[in-house]
Amino acid sequence: MSIVAAADGRIRFIADHNTVCCADNANGINCSSCNNFVWIEHSNGEWTKYSHFTTGSVTGAAGLDTNDCVVQGQFLGYEGDVGHTGGSGAQNRPQTACSTPLIDSTRSCGIHLHWEVRMTATNSDLRVPILCGVPDEIAYAGDTLVGVPCDAGACVAGIAIPAQVLGGSSIGVSRADVSVTSRAEYQDSRSTAYFAGDHVTLLPGFASRTGTYFHAMIKSCEDGPNGCPPE
């Protein structure tokens, strides 16, 4: 399956020379060392990471290199079974331990794409992305989601989230042109993000408990990355 850029940006890092899929940190070896990936920096300060490309498909089939500017929807390469992969499309080969000959015959490779939004090109500062077109803007474990363009006028002026307890492993994103106010309490492994064009107000009763992820940002409802950062 083809992998395309989620937004305009500039490619900063590429790895597409690796060839094996990796058993989960076998013998203490970090599977990330045998992954194929692309890091893209965007004009709004965010970064996106695309992982598990087919060997050579980024620099070969897509003809891309570091510092290339890409536009939303541009082909980046093919989804593959390189790095720590599994799940759908299992392949007829066992996972290895990346750079050692150890074979784990109990685990199979699988065609896989892993996508992240972060604030830096590191494995920290993970962000909750906005996926327009998702019913109620909440994604649940096991859902299959298809993003659509964020149309102008899609956001209301203000959102008031009442006092309530929200938990589980779901992801919630609240977007407003002007303001988001909240008295909600988040528990379990809930992930939540608030985006407002002018202000976010956390009222008495609001809480984000241990194990949850919460992010708030002053950002226009229609403010997405456009163009490329400087080289």
Side-chain angles (χ1 to χ4, degrees):
M1 180 178 293
S2 297
I3 299 173
V4 302
D8 297 355
R10 191 174 298 280
I11 295 176
R12 296 303 192 190
F13 304 101
I14 294 174
D16 74 342
H17 62 280
N18 292 300
T19 60
V20 301
C21 64
C22 177
D24 192 8
N25 296 332
N27 283 357
I29 296 173
N30 189 340
C31 286
S32 63
S33 63
C34 62
N35 185 26
N36 288 335
F37 57 83
V38 171
W39 276 104
I40 298 178
E41 182 184 8
H42 303 283
S43 60
N44 65 346
E46 293 178 337
W47 293 67
T48 50
K49 183 182 183 182
Y50 309 74
S51 297
H52 310 297
F53 285 89
T54 297
T55 306
S57 67
V58 179
T59 57
L64 297 173
D65 202 348
T66 53
N67 289 325
D68 282 353
C69 185
V70 295
V71 298
Q72 184 180 39
Q74 184 170 338
F75 173 60
L76 301 179
Y78 292 113
E79 183 181 19
D81 59 346
V82 176
H84 181 36
T85 65
S88 62
Q91 305 301 292
N92 293 319
R93 62 188 181 113
Q95 292 196 344
T96 70
C98 193
S99 59
T100 74
L102 177 67
I103 298 295
D104 183 352
S105 59
T106 66
R107 306 191 63 161
S108 296
C109 301
I111 302 298
H112 187 82
L113 166 65
H114 185 88
W115 180 70
E116 300 173 350
V117 180
R118 298 184 181 269
M119 283 305 294
T120 60
T122 66
N123 289 325
S124 61
D125 304 315
L126 185 66
R127 305 293 296 276
V128 175
I130 294 176
L131 296 175
C132 295
V134 177
D136 300 322
E137 296 186 9
I138 298 176
Y140 296 94
D143 281 356
T144 297
L145 306 176
V146 178
V148 299
C150 298
D151 297 330
C155 290
V156 298
I159 295 175
I161 302 171
Q164 56 185 312
V165 176
L166 299 170
S169 59
S170 60
I171 299 172
V173 178
S174 297
R175 302 181 300 134
D177 280 332
V178 179
S179 66
V180 175
T181 61
S182 177
R183 298 180 184 272
E185 177 180 328
Y186 299 105
Q187 299 181 352
D188 304 323
S189 55
R190 172 84 179 205
S191 295
T192 303
Y194 296 163
F195 295 87
D198 186 75
H199 60 276
V200 173
T201 304
L202 307 180
L203 298 172
F206 173 86
S208 186
R209 302 297 183 189
T210 300
T212 63
Y213 171 90
F214 173 73
H215 173 74
M217 187 172 186
I218 304 304
K219 180 178 180 180
S220 170
C221 190
E222 309 302 334
D223 181 20
N226 295 298
C228 284
E231 289 193 50

